[in-house]
Amino acid sequence: MTRRHFRSVILLLAVGCLPTSLFADTIVLKSGQKIVGQVLKTQSDTLFVDIGVDIVRVPLNRIQEHVKDKTDTEPAAVKTDAGLLRTAKMPTRTVKDLVSQFGEGVVLVQNPEGLGSGFIISKSGHCVTNFHVVEGQTRVAVTIFHRTESGELERVAIRDVKILALNPHFDLALLQIPKQENLEFQPVYVADDDSHREGDAVFAIGSPLGLERSVSEGIVSTRSRNMDGIVYIQTTAQINPGNSGGPLFNTRGEVVGVINMKLTFGEGLGFAIPVAYLRHFIANRDAFAYDRTNPNTGYHYLQPPRRTNPKQIYDVLKETE
């Protein structure tokens, strides 16, 4: 980019051109001019900024101050429900912005027999996935896609992930990722209710067929598809094996469902577990605690009383007369 072109971009910003994103950083140059836009990438000597109509390449030696928009990473009115789930009031944004902000919270879940997806819900490393992703397994690993200071994504494989709770009926599982040095978990936010409606835009992030960090977009086809006594969210977002356990987001970046299946011979017929079931599972996680010594862990049924022979009852009553 020539110096003349660079100055023309600065002038364009000065007369009021706004970036496409609702949230933007402010780059203050040593000359006193300001650039407002979304930082796409940082290299050793250059910053790339999206100003809405163009991508500006800014040399780092010409920057006096970089003011980050904290609303991008610190939504207002954050609260925690059920001891783990985080909720926050956030405005509607583009899928591109939301993937950039919350993509680090989506993980790849692996076991010796296959893989699926999951998402982090707490700073302590609690992670949600499907029961069928870890069913019958005792060795689980996850891969986190951590964004470095340079803006690049780094794959971090973590083993010895603990299984904390399982709910086979709702197809949900709660994992615990061990803490890592120099790595802070980035949890996602979960919708406070099921206010989404048919036609609302949604998108999924996961690893379909092992293709890491794939994004698919669609709408809510119906919010109450009843199958085997359980209500599911039906969506046109493309779902494939490997998406299981991953989050279904709305356009505010809130998780509205946990993806768990699709119809084999249909396109655009994916299904997700509503957050109401997820909240119930997390709030009562102690009742679904995992026990690796119990082959039926996840099911907690009491043995029914034995059926009594009517003749024995008659004999006992006769003896007491």
Side-chain angles (χ1 to χ4, degrees), residues 41 56 58 76 134 145-146 169 172 174-175 182 195 259 269 283:
K41 185 177 181 181
V56 180
V58 186
V134 296
F145 304 92
H146 172 62
H169 184 62
L172 292 171
L174 179 64
L175 311 178
N182 304 320
S195 59
I259 296 167
L269 296 173

Side-chain angles (χ1 to χ4, degrees), residues 12-311:
L12 184 62
L13 281 172
V15 298
C17 178
L18 296 178
T20 56
S21 174
L22 293 175
F23 303 97
D25 292 359
T26 300
I27 311 299
V28 182
L29 303 180
K30 293 180 179 179
S31 61
Q33 297 163 313
K34 297 181 180 180
I35 301 175
V36 179
Q38 181 185 8
V39 176
L40 300 179
K41 185 177 181 181
T42 303
Q43 293 185 342
S44 58
D45 59 350
T46 308
L47 200 68
F48 293 89
V49 184
D50 182 0
I51 62 171
V53 295
D54 202 352
I55 305 298
V56 180
R57 179 177 176 274
V58 186
L60 291 181
N61 58 13
R62 299 186 60 177
I63 297 176
Q64 177 177 340
E65 185 180 7
H66 179 185
V67 181
K68 295 185 178 181
D69 189 338
K70 293 186 178 181
T71 56
D72 239 358
T73 55
E74 300 176 9
V78 176
K79 62 180 182 178
T80 304
D81 188 22
L84 294 180
L85 300 178
R86 293 157 52 94
T87 61
K89 299 298 182 182
M90 296 178 291
T92 300
R93 302 177 60 190
T94 65
V95 173
K96 175 184 176 182
D97 290 339
L98 294 172
V99 171
S100 176
Q101 180 176 352
F102 298 112
E104 287 186 70
V106 183
V107 302
L108 172 67
V109 181
Q110 295 174 289
N111 62 60
E113 296 181 1
L115 57 85
S117 301
F119 54 97
I120 299 172
I121 60 172
S122 78
K123 290 285 187 179
S124 300
H126 292 90
C127 176
V128 171
T129 187
N130 283 150
F131 166 76
H132 75 259
V133 172
V134 296
E135 181 179 3
Q137 303 297 325
T138 57
R139 296 171 54 195
V140 179
V142 302
T143 299
I144 294 178
F145 304 92
H146 172 62
R147 192 176 298 278
T148 62
E149 294 182 357
S150 64
E152 300 290 338
L153 285 175
E154 177 185 25
R155 298 176 81 259
V156 181
I158 303 175
R159 301 184 182 278
D160 300 324
V161 175
K162 295 181 180 178
I163 302 175
L164 297 183
L166 297 172
N167 188 327
H169 184 62
F170 291 151
D171 195 18
L172 292 171
L174 179 64
L175 311 178
Q176 173 83 64
I177 306 172
K179 291 186 177 181
Q180 306 293 305
E181 293 185 6
N182 304 320
L183 176 62
E184 183 177 354
F185 297 121
Q186 302 296 327
V188 300
Y189 295 94
V190 177
D192 204 17
D193 53 37
D194 58 349
S195 59
H196 53 277
R197 291 295 182 268
E198 287 79 0
D200 285 352
V202 290
F203 67 96
I205 305 177
S207 302
L209 303 178
L211 300 175
E212 301 169 351
R213 291 184 56 80
S214 294
V215 181
S216 58
E217 189 176 6
I219 63 170
V220 174
S221 300
T222 179
R223 58 192 290 268
S224 56
R225 180 66 66 196
N226 192 317
M227 300 175 67
D228 297 327
I230 299 178
V231 174
Y232 293 94
I233 301 170
Q234 181 181 327
T235 176
T236 62
Q238 293 297 316
I239 305 300
N240 289 285
N243 275 117
S244 293
L248 183 69
F249 290 99
N250 62 18
T251 52
R252 293 191 300 273
E254 301 168 319
V255 175
V256 297
V258 184
I259 296 167
N260 75 320
M261 64 179 176
K262 65 166 289 187
L263 293 187
T264 305
F265 300 105
E267 294 298 329
L269 296 173
F271 299 89
I273 304 161
V275 293
Y277 294 139
L278 174 61
R279 289 188 174 279
H280 178 274
F281 171 59
I282 297 299
N284 299 280
R285 57 188 179 275
D286 290 343
F288 302 101
Y290 172 76
D291 180 3
R292 63 183 301 168
T293 64
N294 180 2
N296 296 316
T297 187
Y299 293 94
H300 293 269
Y301 298 137
L302 296 176
Q303 291 293 330
R306 289 189 175 186
R307 189 172 184 178
T308 306
N309 190 326
K311 185 178 182 303

Side-chain angles (χ1 to χ4, degrees), residues 4-15:
R4 183 178 179 180
H5 185 197
F6 181 80
R7 287 178 177 174
S8 68
V9 172
I10 301 298
L11 180 61
L12 184 62
L13 281 172
V15 298

